Amino acid sequence: MAEHILPKRTYYTIFLILAFCTYLTWQVAYFDLGPFNTIAALAIAVFKATLVVLFFMHVRYSTRLTWAVVIGSVFWLGILLVLTMSDYLSRGWIPQS
Amino acid sequence: MSPEAVHTYSPALAHQFDDAGQQKEAATLGMWVFLVTEVLFFGGLFVTYLVYRNWYPGAFTAASHEMIVWAGTTNTFVLITSSLTMALAVHAAQLGNRRLLMTFLIITMALGCVFLGIKAFEYYSEYVEHHVPGMGFQFEAEHFQHAQLFFSLYFMMTGLHALHMIIGLGIMSVMLWWSYRGVITPEYTNPIEISGLYWHFVDIVWIFLFPLLYLIGRHVHG
């Protein structure tokens, strides 16, 4: 397996995008977007995390087995979030007698 | 060991691997499997946070307003900068530039210390303002009970994150020592790379903690 050395420019570019997104997260929080405040904050956070995983952590250039493990972690976290929240969020739907 | 693998043998290659590529993949994969357990470890706390925030949005908004936003924002910049210097440390290791590798490791560790310093200042401020649950907690009567849930989660999540930072500093100290001793060569950068994976992971946790803890409903009172 040949070593894949990224040019430094890639790291600087990713850093600038991450810094800009941090500024954006901070500024957006002061505008009233209703429930979209949280959604915007989390969407930016997911985007930032994806950049860190793909470039700083070199997953973009990793083997398929590594990809499978990385996607697996997100998938299992998804199970934890979706199954738990589907319970808590739907509790009010059935009227209590 | 296959005949062609003999040619790629180096002192850094453990005997159970065919070649350096296989060894590197095993190391990377092993670190990622550990990180999966970490994702779910922190995931449990994030889910707890979501459930309680969903139940007591008013108390969470009020409690979040007591957070020091400039400290959280500065720390976010500090951590992403440390992730950059970590990535550049790996880059220097790949090119075999030992001096630059050590410099970047030291900068990364220094930024980690700055992060912990700001965090300690925040903890102290919260202690002085009686925002630590169980230690003479004080809050407006309306949210007194449920604001404690927010602060408990805040101290648990940021405390666990800070513990990971401290462990990260320990790992980086060993990496600095190994770099100094010449263990790290362009043929053998695995320790630096997988330590970097850990460092970046800790950065990612903070990327989510920052908006969830510091910025809830900021638009309400500014």
Side-chain angles (χ1 to χ4, degrees), chain B residues 174-192:
Chain B
V174 176
M175 289 307 115
L176 189 62
W177 177 242
W178 285 6
S179 305
Y180 174 72
R181 289 289 303 274
V183 176
I184 308 299
T185 60
E187 292 76 38
Y188 187 60
T189 58
N190 294 353
I192 301 288

Side-chain angles (χ1 to χ4, degrees), chain B residues 118-138:
Chain B
I118 294 176
K119 201 76 222 126
F121 160 75
E122 285 184 79
Y123 282 170
Y124 177 73
S125 309
E126 281 135 16
Y127 169 75
V128 170
E129 289 178 27
H130 298 280
H131 284 157
V132 186
M135 293 174 73
F137 186 80
Q138 290 174 12

